Amino acid sequence: MEGLDRIGRRLRRFGRHEVGLLLALMLVAGALWGFIALADEVVEGETHRIDRMLLLALRNAADPSDPIGPGWVEELGRDMTALGGVGVLMVLSVSVAGYLWLIRKRRAMVLLMVSVGGGLLASSLLKEVFDRPRPDLVPHEAMVYTASFPSGHSMLAAVTYLTLGALLARVEKSWRVKIYLISLAAAVTILVGISRVYLGVHWPSDVLAGWTIGTVWAMAVWTVALALQRRGRAGKEEEPDPS
């Protein structure tokens, strides 16, 4: 009876893991399809009208060169956009990776570095492929050096903050804390993207694409990590009892 109970527990645990991985794969596939559909609309020029409307909605109607709100709002926008900058994200990622190394969480460290490093490479490649010009309706309130689609700040913010949020949520037992951490990561990612449109350096569709493909990449890396972890556990469970 004890042997049957053990088998039953293993089957139930196996089922939970497989269902979780299946749901994760479905979400990755859905988000990837969304990015491809959006990219197709952008290439065809179908998003230009709504891009223009949303961009100008964040500008003074009497003077499009002036973002809406007082000066401190503009400064806040620059602060928010800095949270998605390569320099800030690299310092944050390397700092967290060092901490994970010190506490012997080597797999989590590798997951973080693969996610962020791969996201940075993917962002650069996608910009080269689409080579979309930056908005020319209003003056840019921040320096830009690369193509517009997808938004690198939005994509890398999604990759980095969602990965960090997932890592932190994984070690928490309380669902309220888990939800708080993931929500915080998502909120920061959203604010970074909005700031890019507010500063006039991206079309809204650039930002939406960055959020989408950044989420795809973070979830894909996380799904692979879960699958490898599941495989490792399964291998250990199948080892013969040395007793």
Side-chain angles (χ1 to χ4, degrees):
M1 290 298 294
E2 183 179 349
L4 290 175
D5 289 341
R6 183 187 305 172
I7 293 173
R9 288 195 299 271
R10 289 179 179 177
L11 287 174
R12 287 193 295 272
R13 186 161 57 247
F14 175 83
R16 289 196 299 270
H17 282 292
E18 294 306 309
V19 169
L21 286 174
L22 178 60
L23 289 174
L25 287 172
M26 290 174 62
L27 289 172
V28 170
L32 182 59
W33 178 86
F35 172 78
I36 293 172
L38 176 60
D40 182 65
E41 292 292 310
V42 168
V43 171
E44 296 294 329
E46 298 296 328
T47 64
H48 182 70
R49 184 177 64 83
I50 192 169
D51 274 337
R52 179 186 176 90
M53 180 182 70
L54 292 175
L55 182 61
L56 291 178
L58 297 178
R59 294 281 159 161
N60 187 332
D63 181 10
S65 67
D66 179 31
I68 59 173
W72 65 266
V73 175
E74 295 182 34
E75 192 63 28
L76 183 62
R78 295 186 185 91
D79 291 341
M80 289 296 103
T81 210
L83 294 177
V86 173
V88 171
L89 294 179
M90 288 301 103
V91 169
L92 176 62
S93 300
V94 171
S95 299
V96 174
Y99 168 72
L100 293 173
W101 174 271
L102 290 174
I103 63 174
R104 299 184 184 279
K105 299 289 185 180
R106 309 292 167 76
R107 291 181 180 177
M109 182 199 71
V110 171
L111 171 65
L112 175 63
M113 299 311 294
V114 167
S115 184
V116 176
L120 179 60
L121 178 60
S123 174
S124 300
L125 290 176
L126 287 170
K127 284 178 176 290
E128 289 293 327
V129 169
F130 290 99
D131 196 28
R132 188 188 194 185
R134 296 278 178 166
D136 55 2
L137 292 178
V138 298
H140 297 166
E141 302 295 327
M143 296 294 293
V144 289
Y145 306 96
T146 58
S148 193
F149 186 92
S151 166
H153 278 66
S154 302
M155 178 177 175
L156 292 178
V159 168
T160 305
Y161 293 117
L162 292 180
T163 299
L164 290 175
L167 285 172
L168 292 173
R170 187 168 176 77
V171 301
E172 285 292 337
K173 295 182 180 179
S174 170
W175 275 103
R176 288 189 300 175
V177 177
K178 290 177 183 288
I179 292 172
Y180 170 77
L181 291 170
I182 297 298
S183 299
L184 181 61
V188 173
T189 300
I190 291 171
L191 288 172
V192 168
I194 292 174
S195 73
R196 301 303 285 170
V197 180
Y198 179 76
L199 296 175
V201 295
H202 274 296
W203 300 107
S205 55
D206 297 334
V207 169
L208 181 58
W211 285 337
T212 305
I213 196 64
T215 302
V216 166
W217 180 255
M219 289 180 59
V221 172
W222 190 258
T223 301
V224 171
L226 289 178
L228 292 175
Q229 185 182 50
R230 174 68 188 90
R231 183 178 179 182
R233 286 178 178 174
K236 290 180 180 179
E237 289 174 357
E238 292 170 3
E239 290 178 357
D241 189 345
S243 61

